[in-house]
Amino acid sequence: MSTQYDAVIVGAGFGGMGAAIQLKRLGYQNLLILEREPELGGTWQVNRYPGLAVDIPSSTYSYSFEPNPHWSRLFAPGEELKRYAEHVAGKYGLRELMRFGAVVTGAAWDEHDRHWRVSVEGGEVVTAKYLVTATGFLSQPKVPDIEGIDEFAGKVIHTTAWDDSYDLRGKRVAIIGTGATAVQLIPELTELAAELTVYQRTPIWVSPKPDYRIPRPLRAVFAALPPAQRAVRFAGSAVLELMMISGVVRYKQFRATNWVAEQFCRAHLHRQVRDPELRRKLTPDYSFGCKRPTFSNTYFPAFTRPHVRLETSSIERVDRTGVATAAGRTDIDVLVLATGFNLWDVNFPAFEVLGREGRDLGKWWRENRFQAYEGMTVPGFPNLLSLNSPYAYSGLSYFTTIECQMKHMRRLFTALADRRADVFEVTREANDAFLERMRTKVTDNSVFSLGQCATARSYYFNQHGEATLLRPTSTLSAHRDAARFPLSHYSYTSAA
Ligand code: NAP
């Protein structure tokens, strides 16, 4: 059977678009991008809740080769990210490759025809030489398993499915969760709701947000003089790199930095909240860095408003009209779930991926440790680039990960072309050595094993208690490995 596409990319977010741009540059023009949502943008298409903004300085949260001089703030609001995604798709000719509302249900490597067979909801099967999964780490919304939640008769809104048509004004609102999403949303809800109850299980470290407007004249300078914006990007990246190395990767050597960061966040809380009991409830008991910290100037003050209540007793059940905890029951009209995402369960990867001899990637990961060479490729899965793999996430801005992966693709596909081959597969030895290196780094140096993370309930950790999301190296090392990994780490064969 002939193969329809050079590559099928699943996901039209920034990761999938970066992969498509790179494949086009490498000469692969016959691409199909399948996206389950009705539009492109990934996270920035799905998340539309009030207060949505990027929590990494915008100058670093973009492709380095496509700077955006138009960001209105240091931390741009969500709709600007969405507009930027649309701009990139238009400029790089990606939109015409995309098919929306296309839910991939499975993919299997066809050993006979040496291509991937990708099944789409509705029964269609498309074939491609290469499969790129770019479905995001934070893309499977988590609905908490709380007794009675299905019986609630009022409105339930998950933050990934915001209902713009629903008017929250004057309503009694409850929100479950105090992660980065809730930190952005809660101050907005306080403006709308008549009563707001926040159900917190684990507090979050929050530091002040240097959220400045970027004046128009400065934006004009960025547009006219790209090196000026590159310099700002470089400075921002350097700060993020420093935070990542000292706070997470090299905690052993720099643990004083985490202590300083904690004191900084405590002082922020102290300045904004006078009530010592409320402060105590809002103060985490785990080390800074175990869980993604966040920035906000408006989160803590929200709890000091008379119609806002912080509830820290655990939720016992939800009934038709309210939420019950050991401390009492609260009647509500609306239940907002800011409960985050499932990362490591049966929905990872986002659909069934079957490699050689029917090996199921998700099952194999769960039974044999989460692992992927350079966070991208897996032995037994030829011609698969799994962009949201264990140890893939490098640095604090997602764009670092994306650009390292683009570099890796360039080296890999160039090696394939040089050998007139078209099937690659990472060797078991290279994968094993990479896994061992990552595990040793996590164990010997990182905050995840040396800090106090037991009570953090962080999605950085998988169900076995291993921190398998972040790559525990500097981003410089990640870039270097992407550009120079030994070519012998892959086998290269030709379908012919
Ligand atoms: P999250 O960090 O996983 O937070 C989920 C929250 O829901 C936590 O407070 C969690 O409590 C709580 N929760 C979950 N299940 C619960 C249950 N059964 N009972 C009670 N509480 C429960 O998710 P998120 O806030 O959506 O943020 C995810 C990530 O998205 C962030 O870390 C960040 O990387 C990214 N993000 C980025 C932006 C941005 O850049 N604009 C904005 C928002 C989010 P526990 O901690 O106790 O589990």
Side-chain angles (χ1 to χ4, degrees):
M1 182 186 168
S2 67
T3 304
Q4 291 168 277
Y5 295 98
D6 292 336
V8 163
I9 297 167
V10 187
F14 284 122
M17 293 205 293
I21 292 170
Q22 191 65 305
L23 285 168
K24 285 183 91 177
R25 286 175 178 163
L26 289 160
Y28 300 95
Q29 305 299 335
N30 184 17
L31 307 176
L32 173 66
I33 304 175
L34 296 173
E35 170 57 59
R36 73 178 176 189
E37 298 298 324
E39 251 304 331
L40 61 85
T43 283
W44 306 102
Q45 155 65 24
V46 171
N47 286 287
R48 291 187 320 275
Y49 58 82
L52 175 71
V54 67
D55 61 2
I56 291 290
S58 314
S59 54
T60 53
Y61 195 88
S62 53
Y63 298 104
S64 61
F65 54 86
E66 189 55 40
N68 175 18
H70 308 299
W71 301 124
S72 66
R73 311 189 70 84
L74 192 54
F75 294 87
E79 71 268 17
E80 290 188 28
L81 272 300
K82 177 78 169 71
R83 275 207 297 280
Y84 175 68
E86 280 159 11
H87 160 78
V88 171
K91 178 164 175 181
Y92 292 86
L94 306 181
R95 189 174 266 285
E96 45 272 37
L97 309 175
M98 293 175 181
R99 202 196 291 173
F100 298 112
V103 179
V104 172
T105 54
W109 173 250
D110 181 330
E111 190 64 55
H112 181 264
D113 290 321
R114 313 255 278 172
H115 62 199
W116 282 93
R117 295 171 59 80
V118 181
S119 307
V120 186
E121 204 171 71
E124 189 189 359
V125 175
V126 292
T127 59
K129 195 91 231 160
Y130 305 103
L131 172 64
V132 183
T133 55
T135 46
F137 289 108
L138 304 167
S139 53
Q140 309 294 344
K142 175 174 166 185
V143 174
D145 186 16
I146 295 173
E147 196 189 327
I149 202 159
D150 296 333
E151 292 163 26
F152 182 61
K155 177 85 176 166
V156 179
I157 312 177
H158 194 284
T159 53
T160 55
W162 199 257
D163 183 350
D164 300 305
S165 65
Y166 187 81
D167 191 357
L168 285 159
R169 272 176 301 187
K171 301 281 192 324
R172 294 167 303 175
V173 180
I175 178 167
I176 303 178
T178 51
T181 298
V183 167
Q184 295 183 338
L185 178 59
I186 286 169
E188 303 291 324
L189 292 181
T190 60
E191 299 299 328
L192 300 168
E195 288 169 24
L196 178 66
T197 310
V198 179
Y199 290 90
Q200 170 188 276
R201 191 163 63 179
T202 312
I204 182 167
W205 287 112
V206 183
S207 78
K209 187 172 187 177
D211 187 17
Y212 302 114
R213 223 175 56 75
I214 302 178
R216 283 190 184 280
L218 186 56
R219 289 186 236 168
V221 171
F222 288 160
L225 200 68
Q229 198 176 18
R230 273 205 292 278
V232 173
R233 182 191 179 98
F234 179 78
S237 303
V239 171
L240 293 181
E241 180 75 345
L242 216 65
M243 283 166 62
M244 183 72 186
I245 291 183
S246 59
V248 177
V249 175
R250 296 233 162 225
Y251 176 79
K252 185 178 179 182
Q253 293 82 1
F254 296 99
R255 59 179 84 207
T257 321
N258 292 53
W259 183 84
V260 171
E262 286 174 14
Q263 301 318 309
F264 191 57
C265 293
R266 280 175 200 273
H268 181 48
L269 174 60
H270 204 274
R271 265 194 309 277
Q272 295 196 313
V273 175
R274 303 266 35 115
D275 174 2
E277 178 57 12
L278 182 55
R279 278 204 302 258
R280 188 188 60 75
K281 288 181 174 172
L282 289 167
T283 306
D285 63 355
Y286 55 86
S287 306
F288 185 91
C290 291
K291 182 174 193 149
R292 182 155 175 141
T294 192
F295 303 98
S296 177
N297 302 327
T298 50
Y299 177 64
F300 291 142
F303 294 97
T304 64
R305 302 196 46 184
H307 65 303
V308 180
R309 191 167 62 86
L310 176 64
E311 181 55 69
T312 55
S313 318
S314 53
I315 299 173
E316 285 175 349
R317 61 169 287 124
V318 175
D319 57 39
R320 275 182 62 76
T321 54
V323 180
T325 70
R329 194 182 158 284
T330 306
D331 274 321
I332 57 166
D333 305 308
V334 185
L335 180 60
V336 176
L337 302 177
T339 42
F341 303 87
N342 289 317
L343 275 84
W344 307 104
D345 68 0
V346 287
N347 294 315
F348 181 55
F351 48 87
E352 185 180 69
V353 177
L354 302 177
R356 281 198 207 282
E357 291 155 17
R359 179 185 281 180
D360 180 324
L361 181 58
K363 204 160 167 271
W364 185 74
W365 270 342
R366 277 179 282 280
E367 289 171 2
N368 297 279
R369 293 193 185 285
F370 289 95
Q371 52 189 291
Y373 174 68
E374 292 289 332
M376 281 185 87
T377 52
V378 186
F381 295 84
N383 288 6
L384 171 68
L385 296 165
S386 170
L387 302 189
N388 306 109
S389 285
Y391 303 108
Y393 203 110
S394 182
L396 290 176
S397 168
Y398 189 33
F399 282 84
T400 313
T401 306
I402 295 171
E403 296 208 10
C404 283
Q405 297 188 325
M406 290 173 75
K407 270 190 191 159
H408 191 106
M409 287 170 68
R410 184 169 63 211
R411 182 160 172 82
L412 177 58
F413 283 95
T414 307
L416 261 185
D418 289 348
R419 288 160 181 72
R420 297 187 188 288
D422 56 6
V423 178
F424 66 79
E425 184 175 344
V426 69
T427 66
R428 230 189 53 211
E429 296 71 29
N431 176 68
D432 290 353
F434 179 79
L435 174 63
E436 188 51 33
R437 192 177 136 220
M438 294 301 110
R439 293 189 67 220
T440 307
K441 282 185 182 298
V442 169
T443 312
D444 292 356
N445 288 308
S446 81
V447 69
F448 301 130
S449 69
L450 304 177
Q452 198 293 93
C453 291
T455 53
R457 289 181 180 269
S458 162
Y459 64 77
Y460 291 158
F461 291 82
N462 65 32
Q463 58 272 61
H464 311 301
E466 298 169 313
T468 44
L469 181 65
L470 299 186
R471 180 188 170 108
T473 74
S474 68
T475 60
L476 287 179
S477 149
H479 273 290
R480 205 172 40 234
D481 286 352
R484 296 198 210 142
F485 64 83
L487 295 178
S488 60
H489 283 182
Y490 282 94
S491 68
Y492 309 87
T493 52
S494 166

